[in-house]
Amino acid sequence: MKSDAFDLDDLPPAEPYDEARDKAQRERLLKTWESPKGWRYLSDVNNSEVGLWYLLTSFAFFCFAGVLALLIRTQLAVPGNDFLSQDLYNQVFTLHGTAMMFLFAVPIFEAVAILVLPEILGARDLPFPRLSAFGYWCFLIGGVFVCGSIFFGAAPDGGWFMYAPLSSNPEYSGVGADIWLLGLSFIEVSSIAAAVELIVGVLKSRPPGMRLNQMPLYCWYVLVVAGMILFAFPPLIAGDLLLELERAFGWAFFDPDRGGDPLLWQHLFWIFGHPEVYIVFLPSIALIATILPTFASRPMIGHSWIVLSAVGVAFLSFGLWVHHMFTVGLPEISLSFFSAASEAVAVPTGIQIFCFVATMLVAKVRPSLPMLFAGGALAIFVFGGLTGVMVALVPFDWQAHDSYFVVAHLHYTLIGGMLFPLFAGVYYWYPFVTQRQTNQKAGKWSFWLMFGGFNIAFLPMHWTGVMGMPRRVWTYDVTDGWAVLNMVSTVGSFIFAAGFVVLAVNVLWPRGKHAPVKRNVWNAGTMEWSAEVPDKPWGVRSIPLITSRYPLWDQPGLLDQIDRGEWFLPDAEEGKRELIVTDILDARPLFVQRVPGPSWLMLFAALFLGTSFIVATYHWWTIALISGAAFVAVTLYWLWTGTAQIPEKPEKYAGRGLTLPTYEAGAGSVGWWAVFITMTGDMTAFVGLVFSYFFFWTVLPDFMSTTEAMPFGWLILGFAGVMGQWGLTVAARGQLASRAPGAAIGALLAAPVAGVLGMAAFAWAAMQAGLDPTRHSFDATIWALLLWLSVHVALGLLMQLYTAARIWAGICTPDFPADLRNLTLYTHFLAVTVIMTFAMLAVFPLWLGVL
């Protein structure tokens, strides 16, 4: 039966079990999904393997950042200490915060999600395993580059927030700021790649029947947080671009003498920075929401309220960034609005906590290590939330700002809200990942050492902050009265570190190495525990029909049915790694997607891209351009050989009476959604540049009167040229659909010509007006907008030539048009970009009477 006529409520019965058939199917699945051996193992792109490497690497960076934290506490243990020099101390505390936030807190969420999400969804894999592998290599290379800088005395030393104007002047900050800017920009590529993978995975890789309202809470949290990454990280990328343009080329964005304003950096940074707190917090709450029902042996109370609350927290978090800027001299109306928003976010957060408490009150919770850590997390986080309410009040924030009170609040929120739930998840999913169990006694020791050590370390910091100890201080005098409290905090930090060492040893050398645990050791209700013991390389033996939020509890006999191959795609007849793609709302099966197998292309792509960023740190522009060109070449080959291939047959029997297509284009395909999500994040970064334009317009009375007007005629020609690039691409899509591939190729070859001519007209208009980006912030902002637009026109050029070549080679055809459909979607976003750019260059100044 075809998918469009398929009724999930009226399935035909499964074929009678045949042991010989089952054995043959399993052998074909094993041959298709097993990992390569030896060094080739690193070329595997199975999401479970990538997620495990992600997890281990994230913990390695956590250990590095933890050692830096112990160095900080050793330096502050006694007054007048010279354990670290002032310069090294600045590098240490900057790298500590940078590594914890950018190399651990966010990547560990992505690592856990990539590792367990396919199994929780009851899917074989996520849609873009090669993208996940590429993101991992970017993360590893960028993290080693940034962290390794401290061993050469070149680490950034301006704080993990890198405030201008000190960071914008190379004479003050040295090469460390460039390492921070370009290294983290490269790392952010991996974060956005993971966000795309996770969003598309949750929306399109759910098993048949798993409607949105039946998704496990963990999947909802993953969807919300990945969406937050898509809107939070791009403004920081825009800020990084502006700051690096000022540092490398002298453009005027943050220099007040040239019309710049250092507060612009704070706005762009904290538009990212405060949602970042909830990007870290929500995934950890997701772990508690997954663990708690298992040990309460009942569904979570208030499932829908928790989902709405998570969405509410995500929404409100983007209206809180000025929470970090109460002391910079903003108008009182702004302070009142953002203070109220900071208080309001406690409401949806509190709803989630109350749902957790209610679930525990109505059930008899089984004691366990995961629940011990989860309980400790709630206790610490609630305390941190109370101090958060305090610093959300403007008068108190004025007193506590930049003091150790804020350090204490930050760590109570992040460690209670993120680290302890993460360790609960480690102990909870350890049997799932390794088929082994940890030592329970050692686990309790690790908890109490960390819980006690944490409170001994950070509780006194509230008092040191109230007593006036500033953040980022290198040393202090005995007369300041902070010595005893600082010594207590230092002792506590080492106790906490000892607890983590116990946990690490317990995880690396578990009890019963040769005695696998039984399947579903916790008697959980979610699908990840359907994994066979010993583990198999595929995500699930056969993709089941899911009709419950806790299918292992509510669907009797489901595990046996899965194991016997009674559900969908029980075989790999063609030797292809295959997934079922479903629709977004009701999870109706749409088509069978083939995902590529092992490849080294992602490693080479990450190496070339990383080299481009790294050498740009030292302004070796020629090598950067060559590496960038090599990255483009590898990426194009990766796309040519690994995506949108014409299948060997148009449809495939998937089992239980269901026949599915093996190809899809447009909004039903995962590739289309990947482009849409990526370009949404890209547009968010562009909005950061638009924000910069209007920020300067509001703070500088003469922002638009500092230079000659741009020739309106040339601006019209520029707008027409880039819109022509869009229009010709749309026309090419129509020609291909009309089965005129030659005309489609002609339109695609003409489109980049129109775009290049349009950008030339825009640039000529700017030069005619005498705009010099090193002279004034207006000139710099206009050239930044044009630079952004020109890069996207160039990307469109590459994509148009690539698609024309695919049509000429017979890979992109009227019946298989995915490449051109995805390209057209990209140019829709390009059209929006040029419309907004034209409005700021011509329409808005004309309305103000400047042109």
Side-chain angles (χ1 to χ4, degrees):
M1 188 181 297
K2 298 295 181 66
S3 61
D4 54 0
F6 191 73
D7 187 1
L8 290 175
D9 297 325
D10 189 20
L11 288 172
E15 298 180 18
Y17 177 72
D18 185 300
E19 185 177 354
R21 182 187 63 209
D22 180 58
K23 181 179 179 182
Q25 290 177 343
R26 284 176 171 270
E27 288 176 352
R28 285 190 288 268
L29 283 170
L30 180 63
K31 184 177 179 181
T32 301
W33 286 92
E34 67 180 345
S35 299
K37 306 301 180 184
W39 281 105
R40 293 189 63 241
Y41 178 81
L42 297 179
S43 71
D44 193 27
V45 293
N46 185 310
N47 274 100
S48 295
E49 308 295 350
V50 172
L52 186 58
W53 282 106
Y54 235 128
L55 188 72
L56 295 174
T57 306
S58 299
F59 269 114
F61 286 127
F62 171 76
C63 293
F64 172 80
V67 170
L68 297 182
L70 294 180
L71 293 177
I72 294 171
R73 289 313 318 166
T74 301
Q75 170 64 25
L76 296 176
V78 294
N81 200 356
D82 60 356
F83 174 71
L84 299 176
S85 67
Q86 184 174 5
D87 181 60
L88 181 57
Y89 180 84
N90 290 339
Q91 295 182 39
V92 166
F93 85 72
T94 298
L95 268 189
H96 165 71
T98 298
M100 282 296 190
M101 297 301 288
F102 293 97
L103 298 175
F104 175 68
V106 174
I108 200 70
F109 148 67
E110 296 167 340
V112 173
I114 289 172
L115 178 63
V116 305
L117 188 61
E119 282 78 6
I120 289 182
L121 291 173
R124 282 274 161 75
D125 207 339
L126 296 179
F128 307 110
R130 287 192 175 183
L131 183 64
S132 295
F134 171 72
Y136 167 73
W137 290 117
C138 290
F139 165 63
L140 175 63
I141 295 168
V144 170
F145 171 64
V146 172
C147 293
S149 61
I150 196 170
F151 299 106
F152 300 92
D157 58 3
W160 76 279
F161 34 75
M162 205 57 60
Y163 280 166
L166 292 178
S167 63
S168 59
N169 190 331
E171 294 183 5
Y172 297 148
S173 52
V175 74
D178 295 303
I179 291 173
W180 190 93
L181 288 167
L182 293 172
L184 292 184
S185 295
F186 179 52
I187 293 168
E188 286 156 13
V189 171
S190 70
S191 297
I192 294 175
V196 172
E197 173 78 295
L198 296 174
I199 292 173
V200 179
V202 171
L203 293 179
K204 303 291 288 180
S205 295
R206 302 196 310 277
M210 186 184 277
R211 298 178 175 88
L212 277 179
N213 67 335
Q214 290 178 336
M215 281 200 311
L217 284 172
Y218 184 81
C219 300
W220 273 110
Y221 277 103
V222 167
L223 182 62
V224 169
V225 174
M228 292 177 68
I229 290 174
L230 208 64
F231 289 97
F233 276 72
L236 179 60
I237 293 174
D240 289 348
L241 171 65
L242 300 186
L243 188 52
E244 188 58 32
L245 285 173
E246 178 159 326
R247 288 180 55 83
F249 304 107
W251 290 26
F253 295 108
F254 308 107
D255 182 0
D257 293 335
R258 296 180 290 163
D261 194 328
L263 284 185
L264 173 61
W265 170 258
Q266 289 197 36
H267 281 292
L268 291 175
F269 182 85
W270 288 116
I271 288 174
F272 147 81
H274 204 89
E276 160 87 343
V277 173
Y278 295 96
I279 290 171
V280 170
F281 162 68
L282 288 176
S284 299
I285 290 296
L287 297 177
I288 296 179
T290 302
I291 294 169
L292 183 54
T294 296
F295 294 102
S297 299
R298 60 150 296 135
M300 178 69 71
I301 286 179
H303 178 102
S304 298
W305 283 104
I306 292 175
V307 171
L308 292 173
S309 299
V311 174
V313 168
F315 178 79
L316 288 173
S317 70
F318 285 91
L320 305 182
W321 80 87
V322 176
H323 176 100
H324 299 265
M325 301 172 61
F326 283 164
T327 62
V328 301
L330 295 173
E332 289 188 6
I333 186 66
S334 297
L335 299 181
S336 300
F337 172 83
F338 285 100
S339 178
S342 300
E343 299 284 353
V345 79
V347 175
T349 304
I351 290 173
Q352 296 170 74
I353 302 299
F354 283 126
C355 287
F356 297 160
V357 173
T359 302
M360 289 189 287
L361 289 176
V362 300
K364 184 177 181 180
V365 179
R366 288 178 285 147
S368 65
L369 268 180
M371 281 304 300
L372 185 61
F373 276 90
L378 292 176
I380 293 175
F381 176 77
V382 168
F383 187 87
L386 293 175
T387 57
V389 173
M390 296 170 67
V391 296
L393 300 172
V394 176
F396 182 84
D397 186 85
W398 283 347
Q399 305 302 315
H401 186 76
D402 259 354
S403 74
Y404 258 76
F405 187 93
V406 176
V407 175
H409 159 68
L410 175 68
H411 285 80
Y412 262 86
T413 304
L414 290 184
I415 294 181
M418 178 263 180
L419 198 58
F420 274 86
L422 177 64
F423 292 150
V426 167
Y427 280 113
Y428 179 69
W429 275 321
Y430 191 83
F432 157 70
V433 175
T434 67
Q435 286 80 56
R436 300 289 185 272
Q437 186 59 280
T438 55
N439 186 296
Q440 301 299 293
K441 185 175 182 181
K444 293 178 181 178
W445 269 99
S446 66
F447 170 78
W448 288 112
L449 284 171
M450 284 193 284
F451 186 81
F454 171 82
N455 284 285
I456 294 171
F458 291 100
L459 187 62
M461 292 184 189
H462 294 89
W463 284 281
T464 54
V466 170
M467 293 170 65
M469 183 174 179
R471 300 174 67 180
R472 302 178 291 279
V473 66
W474 167 56
T475 188
Y476 54 95
D477 192 83
V478 68
T479 59
D480 292 326
W482 311 324
V484 174
L485 292 174
N486 271 299
M487 177 57 74
V488 172
S489 292
T490 299
V491 171
S493 68
F494 278 89
I495 296 174
F496 181 86
F500 176 75
V501 170
V502 173
L503 183 145
V505 172
N506 195 14
V507 167
L508 294 175
W509 287 279
R511 175 172 61 88
K513 290 184 179 181
H514 305 291
V517 297
K518 67 176 184 178
R519 193 176 190 180
N520 194 5
V521 62
W522 305 121
N523 190 29
T526 45
M527 278 296 296
E528 74 273 25
W529 296 100
S530 66
E532 298 177 67
V533 178
D535 194 20
K536 302 296 188 295
W538 54 79
V540 63
R541 167 70 177 89
S542 57
I543 301 171
L545 175 71
I546 298 298
T547 59
S548 165
R549 292 171 181 165
Y550 300 92
L552 298 188
W553 289 344
D554 301 336
Q555 294 181 234
L558 182 62
L559 283 181
D560 291 336
Q561 296 165 13
I562 291 172
D563 291 348
R564 291 195 299 262
E566 295 184 5
W567 292 105
F568 306 113
L569 292 186
D571 200 353
E573 297 169 295
E574 298 82 16
K576 306 284 187 181
R577 298 186 179 190
E578 295 175 327
L579 322 174
I580 288 183
V581 175
T582 55
D583 75 338
I584 290 176
L585 292 178
D586 296 325
R588 295 189 60 82
L590 297 179
F591 71 101
V592 173
Q593 180 200 356
R594 268 73 182 275
V595 295
S599 174
W600 290 100
L601 287 173
M602 291 66 64
L603 173 58
F604 291 130
L607 283 172
F608 285 127
L609 183 61
T611 300
S612 185
F613 274 92
I614 291 169
V615 299
T617 300
Y618 303 97
H619 302 170
W620 299 341
W621 305 118
T622 302
I623 301 177
L625 289 174
I626 294 173
S627 298
F631 163 72
V632 170
V634 171
T635 303
L636 290 177
Y637 182 72
W638 163 9
L639 295 174
W640 188 281
T641 58
T643 61
Q645 302 298 311
I646 296 178
E648 76 286 346
K649 56 184 181 182
E651 57 187 25
K652 176 183 175 70
Y653 180 68
R656 298 297 286 265
L658 175 64
T659 299
L660 292 173
T662 52
Y663 189 95
E664 183 68 34
S669 71
V670 293
W672 188 93
W673 278 97
V675 173
F676 179 83
I677 293 166
T678 302
M679 292 310 299
T680 299
D682 179 89
M683 187 59 64
T684 305
F686 177 69
V687 169
L689 299 182
V690 174
F691 173 88
S692 304
Y693 176 93
F694 286 103
F695 172 81
F696 284 129
W697 176 65
T698 58
V699 300
L700 298 175
D702 59 345
F703 177 57
M704 293 186 185
S705 60
T706 58
T707 189
E708 297 182 20
M710 299 177 70
F712 190 74
W714 284 106
L715 294 177
I716 288 288
L717 289 175
F719 175 72
V722 180
M723 288 299 292
Q725 186 177 14
W726 164 75
L728 286 166
T729 305
V730 174
R733 185 186 68 178
Q735 292 294 331
L736 187 66
S738 300
R739 300 192 177 275
I745 291 174
L748 289 174
L749 294 178
V753 176
V756 170
L757 291 176
M759 285 311 308
F762 274 129
W764 181 252
M767 289 187 288
Q768 286 291 99
L771 298 183
D772 178 4
T774 65
R775 187 187 65 84
H776 192 270
S777 59
F778 175 78
D779 305 42
T781 305
I782 297 300
W783 276 111
L785 292 169
L786 293 179
L787 175 63
W788 186 269
L789 182 60
S790 66
V791 168
H792 287 73
V793 167
L795 285 175
L797 181 153
L798 283 172
M799 296 168 68
Q800 284 151 349
L801 295 179
Y802 169 85
T803 305
R806 298 269 285 189
I807 296 173
W808 178 80
I811 302 174
C812 182
T813 70
D815 297 320
F816 303 99
D819 295 297
L820 188 51
R821 295 289 296 273
N822 295 344
L823 169 61
T824 306
L825 178 61
Y826 171 85
T827 57
H828 290 340
F829 281 91
L830 177 62
V832 174
T833 302
V834 72
I835 290 170
M836 295 174 67
T837 302
F838 180 73
M840 287 180 287
L841 269 58
V843 178
F844 187 62
L846 188 65
W847 177 63
L848 293 176
V850 178
L851 286 180

